[in-house]
Amino acid sequence: MKINRTFIPFEVKLLNIIWCFDRTTNQVKVVLKDEGDWTLPETCLIQDEDALDATIRLTRELTGQTVSPKNIEQLETLTNPKRAVDGKRLVTMAYMTYLPEFPDMMNSTLELFTLENLNNHYYFTKGEKQLAVATVDTETEYYQKRLRKNKFYQVNDYVLKNACLRIRRSLDTQPDVLRILGEAFTLREARSLYAPFLGVSFHEIDNSNFKKTHQRLFREIGKANKRGPGRPASLYHLRF
């Protein structure tokens, strides 16, 4: 039996969720771009370039930093048939980049938004500006709620939700997000990073228990420069 199939043209986009850590405020931040609405940075693949190379290139163009492949994690690929513009299917690959250094923005349209968690719901804020993550669980549900006739929606809030949940699930096993703390970090900084993903204050994460339960993930390498009274904080480095 012959099956009739209709193949339609498609375009591939790459979204880059760029994470970093502000040591002056001990806050986790993500790079967003002002395009009328706040969106995640995106690019198309160029000739002789795979998705990993495109992520590295886009990160360098936006932040000036050339990151190692170990600082990049593939999040998901969106292929829902409703994701189409002008009759052309749009396939979107989402990657996460963990910046080892706090960035200087290379473009005036870029802003750093702070990750916050209120009642176990994630938000990204900068002053009065706010982007809340999606409340749906699947891509199909997302389009059922967000798609309007002749109107294509960005998927930033949906992708950011999945990014936050992916990182939260990995915190006790393979916390690659710790790479945003660079080569050396204190337990206070690590706890400050964990806190918004877990929806708690870093004060609620006991320092001694945290060190004990996570010691297999990082090792002590020295002491931080002393900035006040008391003993200097220990510095740690990832084991993986």
Side-chain angles (χ1 to χ4, degrees):
M1 179 179 177
K2 185 176 180 181
I3 300 176
N4 293 322
R5 296 185 176 94
T6 300
F7 296 95
I8 62 174
F10 69 93
E11 182 179 0
V12 177
K13 291 280 190 178
L14 185 143
L15 285 179
N16 193 2
I17 305 112
I18 303 175
W19 297 97
C20 59
F21 187 78
D22 187 346
R23 278 189 159 88
T24 63
T25 60
N26 284 326
Q27 292 176 321
V28 177
K29 295 182 180 287
V30 73
V31 176
L32 294 179
K33 189 173 184 180
D34 185 1
E35 293 186 348
D37 294 320
W38 290 102
T39 68
L40 289 165
E42 69 175 18
T43 189
C44 295
L45 274 65
I46 60 179
Q47 189 175 5
D48 299 326
E49 181 182 62
D50 61 21
L52 180 62
D53 291 334
T55 305
I56 293 173
R57 170 180 56 80
L58 181 58
T59 302
R60 182 174 59 251
E61 291 172 352
L62 298 180
T63 71
Q65 295 186 42
T66 300
V67 297
S68 165
K70 70 180 182 181
N71 284 53
I72 295 174
E73 178 181 355
Q74 184 175 4
L75 178 64
E76 62 184 326
T77 301
L78 305 176
T79 61
N80 192 286
K82 291 190 178 295
R83 197 161 162 70
V85 180
D86 298 328
K88 180 183 291 187
R89 288 276 298 276
L90 182 57
V91 174
T92 299
M93 300 178 292
Y95 280 72
M96 296 195 292
T97 299
Y98 304 118
L99 283 186
E101 299 175 14
F102 196 68
D104 291 324
M105 295 294 99
M106 306 293 287
N107 189 308
S108 61
T109 65
L110 301 176
E111 295 275 9
L112 288 168
F113 277 59
T114 301
L115 171 64
E116 298 185 13
N117 189 324
L118 179 62
N119 298 324
N120 215 28
H121 189 65
Y122 295 107
Y123 296 83
F124 292 87
T125 63
K126 181 178 176 60
E128 296 182 354
K129 304 169 186 175
Q130 183 184 92
L131 175 63
V133 304
T135 57
V136 298
D137 294 323
T138 68
E139 190 181 357
T140 298
E141 289 178 290
Y142 182 83
Y143 289 112
Q144 287 174 345
K145 288 191 174 184
R146 296 294 302 275
L147 193 69
R148 297 176 182 172
K149 186 176 181 180
N150 298 323
K151 175 68 175 179
F152 171 71
Y153 279 88
Q154 294 284 350
V155 290
N156 300 279
D157 52 347
Y158 176 74
V159 170
L160 282 168
K161 175 186 178 179
N162 292 341
C164 290
L165 293 178
R166 166 76 68 83
I167 291 173
R168 177 170 180 161
R169 288 191 292 265
S170 70
L171 288 177
D172 294 330
T173 55
Q174 184 75 17
D176 288 315
V177 68
L178 282 172
R179 298 189 188 282
I180 68 176
L181 299 180
E183 290 297 317
F185 54 89
T186 65
L187 289 184
R188 179 188 176 97
E189 290 170 339
R191 288 157 53 217
S192 296
L193 185 155
Y194 273 53
F197 289 105
L198 297 175
V200 299
S201 162
F202 91 95
H203 295 290
E204 297 177 66
I205 305 176
D206 181 77
N207 192 69
S208 297
N209 288 340
F210 183 79
K211 180 179 179 180
K212 181 179 179 180
T213 57
H214 292 77
Q215 60 185 349
R216 70 189 184 281
L217 300 175
F218 39 75
R219 59 183 175 85
E220 187 172 347
I221 58 173
K223 300 292 183 180
N225 293 329
K226 190 175 180 180
R227 297 181 179 177
R231 294 180 299 175
S234 296
L235 289 174
Y236 295 84
H237 179 80
L238 292 178
R239 292 182 183 272
F240 54 90

